[in-house]
Amino acid sequence: AVFSIFHRFTGIGLSLGAILLSVWIILIALGPDYYSTYQSVSSLTLFKVFLFFWTLAIFYHLFNGIRYLFWSYGKLMDLHIVYKSAYVVIILSILSTVLVWLSV
């Protein structure tokens, strides 16, 4: 149940991040003055922390969504496999996020 709730929360978080991504694209289109304002805001530590957690939410939502797809077909439904797949989702989400941030 906890993973299902977090799946919904990450979906909401991804929507909020998509709005910020849209604002970023609009500011690029408006010109260099507006974009420089965005650059100053995006250099803040709080913004980078938000971006890190948004990246983590992307990967968690992706991997947990794949897990739900298997469940839709009746696969991996044994209780011990459900717990193991939950750990796999967490580990893959963290590893993917760290790899993305190390490559930047």
Side-chain angles (χ1 to χ4, degrees):
V2 173
F3 277 78
S4 179
I5 292 168
F6 277 120
H7 191 79
R8 287 174 171 82
F9 282 149
T10 56
I12 293 168
L14 294 178
S15 299
L16 295 175
I19 292 170
L20 288 177
L21 187 64
S22 300
V23 168
W24 175 62
I25 291 171
I26 291 168
L27 290 174
I28 289 173
L30 289 176
D33 293 333
Y34 293 99
Y35 186 71
S36 65
T37 303
Y38 181 80
Q39 286 288 57
S40 63
V41 171
S42 67
S43 65
L44 297 174
T45 304
L46 181 64
F47 185 84
K48 292 181 182 180
V49 168
F50 174 78
L51 198 57
F52 178 82
F53 282 112
W54 190 59
T55 309
L56 183 63
I58 288 170
F59 285 118
Y60 174 81
H61 202 79
L62 170 71
F63 294 126
N64 203 44
I66 292 170
R67 191 175 103 160
Y68 282 144
L69 284 175
F70 278 103
W71 290 355
S72 295
Y73 289 104
K75 307 291 183 190
L76 306 175
M77 296 292 289
D78 294 330
L79 190 57
H80 70 281
I81 295 176
V82 168
Y83 286 123
K84 286 181 184 179
S85 65
Y87 289 120
V88 169
V89 165
I90 291 172
I91 291 169
L92 286 176
S93 300
I94 292 170
L95 284 176
S96 299
T97 302
V98 169
L99 284 174
V100 164
W101 277 83
L102 287 177
S103 68
V104 173

